[in-house]
């Protein structure tokens, strides 16, 4: 049975849909007329206009269409998927028509579609695969998500490439150096890499990890600080050399070099936004591992947006008004130190101030600020850059990280000569900052007289607002996320900072001069009223921003 329909028949169907919409009072007559006019002028189906322009929510519209056409409406997130149905329809065919196979029983294939008027997929499957087709309606986004989940990201592209090389086996994948550049520039490989990047960006990933194992390729994405597996077609391992070469070409690396680590960067456009991709490749036992860090090229940095508590934000704003001195932000890698410094620089960035930074690397471009990137290959270190920066008459300087004695000494001397310096240290808490500098060889007197404050911070995941619910625990009302499609069933969506700030007050400075331990300095700071990372985290738990488990996870590092 084939499903050919004339234009006149389709128009009759649409008129009936318009009538049902009015009868069910889903839209007013005026709004429906507006949607019809948009459909006619843009040549888009009325169904697409109604959903894309927000006239009607897609599930509500599909329920009406299902009733009109005698079909069932299903929630693909709750419907069990029969893997025999998935195997029966190729990734290329399913992706082309944007349909999701759901069930295959006795030669009858049930598939989810988003439009009841599009019969081409059913015709193709019936004619070429020999199955009778039953259709159910599902939201387009759920169909696309199911395609990624059950076929893998870029499955249709992988299938297309390998279909063109049917005799290719895994042994060939290990010895294709002569053809890698040609393959890397092939449109299909380019599209595959773009699909992996776009999928990660759409899921708010900050990093993509490509890891090669003996018999598999693992791709993971870091979302809100946690790594999640990316479902990919199993045979993508045959294309991994071409993927590596494509990424090397994008980031201007040596495509032939496989024995040494390489670093590069490139920019990509996804939709209307541009992203800076920082790429690092290292040789591993079974090939080359890649980490891609994703950074938007433009961001708004604001202390209010960091999620700092009101008192901590006020302390930060007061500290950065000092004309000279050093403010250190401490914490492990990935704790948001650079973002906090950028937010401070954005607040200080006025026409009457000269601001210079030295970073490794420059993570975000800030208009109106001179930013310098270190280059160890040519000897451009933090120390050398700092000496040169002083000749440019800056008011404020940011040093991406103080990691050695030379940089620390110059930063301290800079603060003593009337400059405000912002920098980071790798310590676990604020109290450990002074001890770390003393270990580098900095005189305790210089630390006590130049450092304005040591701050420490972590990033905690925020409870997803779409699935947030309350529960009782020991007589207190707390919150957690039960998990939903918006948060990938994690219960969290986004992150905020928890922090502790230790100004070098009169009670702290004598302990630094005596070279006291971090424990003694912390105990004194606590007695002076410093709110610790743990306490700031529990305040956010009480406010329903995050969970106790999340605070324990990051403060126990």
């Amino acid at each position: 049975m084939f499903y050919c329909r004339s234009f006149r028949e389709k128009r009759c169907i649409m008129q009936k849909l318009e009538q049902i919409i009015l009868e069910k009072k889903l839209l007013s007559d005026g709004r429906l007329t507006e949607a019809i006019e948009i459909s006619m002028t843009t040549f888009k189906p009325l169904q697409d206009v109604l959903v894309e322009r927000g006239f009607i929510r897609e599930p509500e519209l599909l329920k009406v269409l299902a009733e009109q056409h005698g079909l069932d409406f299903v929630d693909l997130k709750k419907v069990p998927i029969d893997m025999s149905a998935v195997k029966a329809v190729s990734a290329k065919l399913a992706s082309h028509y944007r349909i999701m196979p759901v069930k295959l029983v006795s030669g009858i294939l049930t598939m989810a579609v988003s439009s009841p008027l599009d019969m081409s997929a059913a015709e193709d499957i019936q004619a070429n695969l020999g199955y009778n087709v039953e259709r159910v309606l599902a939201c387009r986004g759920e169909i696309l998500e199911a395609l990624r989940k059950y076929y893998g990201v870029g499955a249709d592209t992988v299938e297309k490439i390998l279909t063109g090389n049917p005799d290719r086996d895994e042994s060939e994948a290990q010895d294709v150096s002569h053809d890698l550049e040609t393959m890397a520039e092939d449109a299909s490989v380019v599209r595959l890499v773009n699909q992996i990047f776009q999928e990660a960006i759409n899921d708010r990933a900050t990093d993509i990890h490509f890891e090669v194992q003996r018999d598999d390729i693992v791709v993971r994405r870091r979302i809100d600080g946690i790594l999640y597996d990316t479902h990919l077609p199993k045979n993508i391992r045959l294309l991994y050399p071409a993927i590596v070469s494509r990424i090397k070409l994008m980031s201007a690396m040596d495509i032939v070099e496989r024995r040494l680590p390489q670093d590069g960067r490139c920019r990509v456009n996804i939709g209307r936004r541009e992203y800076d991709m920082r790429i690092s490749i290292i040789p591993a036992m079974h090939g080359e591992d890649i980490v891609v860090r994703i950074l938007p090229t433009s961001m708004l940095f604001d202390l209010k947006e960091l999620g700092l508590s009101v008192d901590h934000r006020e302390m930060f704003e007061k500290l950065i008004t000092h004309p000279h001195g050093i403010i250190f932000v401490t914490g492990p890698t990935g704790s948001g130190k650079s973002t906090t410094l950028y937010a401070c620089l954005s607040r200080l960035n006025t026409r009457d101030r000269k601001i210079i930074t030295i970073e490794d690397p420059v993570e975000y471009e800030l208009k109106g600020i001179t930013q310098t990137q270190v280059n160890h290959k040519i000897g451009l270190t933090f120390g050398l850059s700092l000496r040169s920066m002083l000749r440019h008459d800056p008011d404020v300087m940011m040093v991406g990280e103080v990691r050695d004695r030379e940089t620390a000494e110059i930063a301290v001397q800079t603060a003593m000569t009337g400059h405000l310096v912002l920098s980071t240290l790798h310590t676990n808490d604020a109290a450990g900052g002074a001890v770390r500098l003393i270990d580098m060889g900095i005189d305790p007197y210089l630390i006590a007289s130049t450092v304005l404050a040591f701050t420490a911070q972590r990033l905690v995941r925020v409870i997803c607002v779409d699935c947030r619910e309350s529960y009782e625990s020991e007589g207190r009302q707390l919150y957690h996320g039960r998990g939903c499609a918006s948060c990938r069933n994690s219960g969290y969506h986004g992150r905020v900072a928890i922090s502790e700030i230790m100004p070098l007050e009169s009670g702290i400075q004598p302990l630094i001069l005596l070279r006291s331990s971090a424990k003694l300095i912390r105990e004194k700071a606590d007695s002076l009223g410093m709110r610790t990372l743990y306490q700031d985290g529990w305040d956010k738990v009480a406010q329903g921003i995050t969970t106790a488990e999340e605070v324990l996870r990051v403060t126990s590092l």
Side-chain angles (χ1 to χ4, degrees):
M1 178 180 178
F2 288 89
Y3 303 90
C4 297
R5 280 181 172 160
S6 65
F7 173 80
R8 180 176 296 178
E9 186 179 359
K10 288 184 178 180
R11 182 57 195 150
C12 289
I13 292 172
M14 294 313 297
Q15 287 175 344
K16 188 176 180 181
L17 171 63
E18 296 160 14
Q19 182 181 351
I20 295 175
I21 288 173
L22 292 175
E23 288 176 356
K24 292 185 175 292
K25 298 182 179 179
L26 297 179
L27 277 182
S28 65
D29 193 8
R31 292 281 283 171
L32 180 58
T33 300
E34 181 184 350
I36 293 171
E37 289 176 353
I38 294 173
S39 174
M40 294 175 66
T41 56
T42 60
F43 301 101
K44 281 189 175 183
L46 179 60
Q47 176 185 343
D48 293 351
V49 171
L50 290 171
V51 174
E52 292 172 5
R53 299 296 179 102
F55 287 93
I56 302 178
R57 292 180 63 249
E58 189 176 17
E60 294 176 0
L61 179 60
L62 289 181
K63 288 175 184 177
V64 171
L65 290 169
E67 179 182 335
Q68 178 188 0
H69 293 270
L71 303 174
D72 290 330
F73 171 74
V74 299
D75 183 345
L76 276 186
K77 296 191 295 294
K78 299 178 181 178
V79 172
I81 302 297
D82 180 0
M83 290 309 297
S84 63
V86 175
K87 293 176 181 177
V89 181
S90 69
K92 184 177 179 181
L93 187 62
S95 297
H96 175 72
Y97 288 114
R98 294 189 177 182
I99 56 100
M100 182 63 208
V102 175
K103 184 172 57 176
L104 179 60
V105 179
S106 301
I108 301 174
L109 177 70
T110 302
M111 68 180 192
V113 301
S114 60
S115 173
L117 296 181
D118 188 356
M119 305 298 183
S120 52
E123 293 174 357
D124 196 345
I125 289 173
Q126 185 165 318
N128 295 298
L129 301 183
Y131 298 115
N132 292 319
V133 175
E134 288 187 357
R135 300 180 305 150
V136 294
L137 291 185
C139 293
R140 183 175 301 175
E142 292 179 6
I143 291 175
L144 295 177
E145 181 61 32
L147 287 171
R148 289 191 289 267
K149 180 178 180 180
Y150 291 98
Y151 285 101
V153 176
D156 56 324
T157 306
V158 173
E159 187 174 290
K160 178 181 177 182
I161 297 171
L162 295 181
T163 300
N165 298 275
D167 299 325
R168 190 173 176 188
D169 59 30
E170 190 167 358
S171 62
E172 288 184 65
Q174 306 300 321
D175 188 26
V176 289
S177 58
H178 63 283
D179 199 32
L180 278 181
E181 187 163 355
T182 302
M183 288 183 63
E185 293 177 335
D186 179 82
S188 297
V189 174
V190 170
R191 182 169 182 262
L192 176 60
V193 173
N194 290 346
Q195 284 176 316
I196 295 172
F197 284 179
Q198 183 165 3
E199 177 74 9
I201 289 170
N202 290 342
D203 281 343
R204 302 179 299 105
T206 54
D207 304 88
I208 312 172
H209 295 245
F210 296 80
E211 299 161 351
V212 56
Q213 300 175 1
R214 181 182 296 275
D215 57 356
D216 197 11
I217 302 298
V218 176
V219 177
R220 298 189 289 172
R221 296 168 292 178
R222 191 177 296 279
I223 303 171
D224 294 333
I226 305 296
L227 283 171
Y228 296 91
D229 284 333
T230 300
H231 180 53
L232 292 167
K234 184 72 175 176
N235 51 8
I236 198 172
R237 68 185 186 279
L238 301 176
L239 299 175
Y240 189 66
I243 292 172
V244 174
S245 296
R246 172 59 190 165
I247 293 174
K248 285 181 177 179
L249 284 177
M250 291 175 66
S251 51
M253 295 184 191
D254 184 350
I255 194 172
V256 178
E257 180 58 69
R258 302 181 194 175
R259 300 167 300 171
L260 296 173
Q262 296 191 69
D263 294 307
R265 61 190 295 180
C266 63
R267 288 194 174 186
V268 299
N269 290 301
I270 303 294
R272 296 183 178 180
R273 297 199 67 181
E274 188 177 46
Y275 295 87
D276 197 1
M277 317 294 270
R278 307 292 173 80
I279 298 165
S280 178
I281 297 181
I282 60 171
M285 182 176 291
H286 301 291
E288 293 177 282
D289 280 13
I290 307 172
V291 173
V292 179
R293 189 173 186 194
I294 305 169
L295 298 168
T297 55
S298 60
M299 282 186 65
L300 293 175
F301 294 97
D302 192 329
L303 286 170
K304 293 181 181 179
E305 301 299 323
L306 298 179
L308 297 172
S309 57
V310 174
D311 61 328
H312 281 171
R313 189 175 73 243
E314 290 175 349
M315 290 175 71
F316 254 116
E317 291 176 342
K318 183 178 179 181
L319 285 168
I320 62 177
T321 59
H322 283 72
H324 54 81
I326 306 179
I327 301 169
F328 282 107
V329 181
T330 72
T333 300
S335 59
K337 301 186 298 296
S338 296
T339 302
T340 298
L341 291 184
Y342 277 119
C344 292
L345 291 180
S346 295
R347 179 62 60 90
L348 293 168
N349 189 13
T350 57
R351 298 302 299 168
D352 59 341
R353 287 191 181 97
K354 172 76 171 184
I355 302 176
I356 303 179
T357 73
I358 174 67
E359 306 170 60
D360 184 21
V362 174
E363 295 194 11
Y364 301 99
E365 293 182 17
L366 297 177
K367 187 176 181 179
I369 292 177
T370 301
Q371 295 174 269
T372 305
Q373 180 165 310
V374 301
N375 188 338
H376 296 287
K377 292 181 179 178
I378 61 173
L380 183 61
T381 62
F382 277 109
L384 179 61
S385 299
L386 271 169
R387 290 191 184 93
S388 299
M389 286 164 62
L390 288 172
R391 302 188 188 100
H392 284 252
D393 188 29
D395 298 294
V396 180
M397 300 172 66
M398 186 188 91
V399 182
E401 181 186 348
V402 168
R403 59 178 67 164
D404 54 44
R405 178 173 181 173
E406 179 191 20
T407 307
E409 286 178 341
I410 299 172
V412 167
Q413 293 167 6
T414 301
M416 292 183 67
T417 55
H419 302 84
L420 178 64
V421 180
L422 309 177
S423 191
T424 69
L425 276 173
H426 279 287
T427 63
N428 288 327
D429 57 17
V435 176
R436 177 80 179 102
L437 291 175
I438 292 172
D439 287 343
M440 287 183 184
I442 305 303
D443 192 308
Y445 170 77
L446 294 176
I447 298 171
S449 59
T450 59
V451 177
L452 298 173
F454 291 101
T455 77
Q457 69 177 52
R458 302 287 190 277
L459 295 176
V460 294
R461 292 181 290 172
V462 176
I463 298 171
C464 174
V465 295
D466 292 329
C467 61
R468 180 174 177 265
E469 58 185 18
S470 62
Y471 68 97
E472 292 289 330
S473 176
E474 298 180 356
R476 294 180 298 176
Q477 186 178 35
L478 300 177
Y479 297 86
H480 67 187
R482 65 177 179 275
C484 65
S486 298
C487 61
R488 301 176 57 85
N489 294 313
S490 67
Y492 300 96
H493 192 284
R495 291 188 291 177
V496 296
I498 59 173
S499 59
E500 62 185 22
I501 302 178
M502 188 183 77
L504 262 62
E505 300 173 347
S506 56
I508 302 294
Q509 290 169 334
L511 293 177
I512 294 175
L513 294 173
L514 292 172
R515 298 175 181 264
S516 300
S517 68
K519 180 181 178 183
L520 289 176
I521 294 174
R522 167 170 284 282
E523 289 174 352
K524 183 62 176 179
D526 290 344
S527 70
L528 293 173
M530 181 183 76
R531 195 165 79 256
T532 65
L533 283 167
Y534 185 77
Q535 291 166 337
D536 191 35
W538 273 100
D539 286 345
K540 287 182 168 59
V541 171
Q543 296 167 32
I545 296 172
T546 189
T547 63
E549 295 81 6
E550 185 67 5
V551 171
L552 291 173
R553 180 181 71 85
V554 301
T555 56
S556 61
L557 292 176

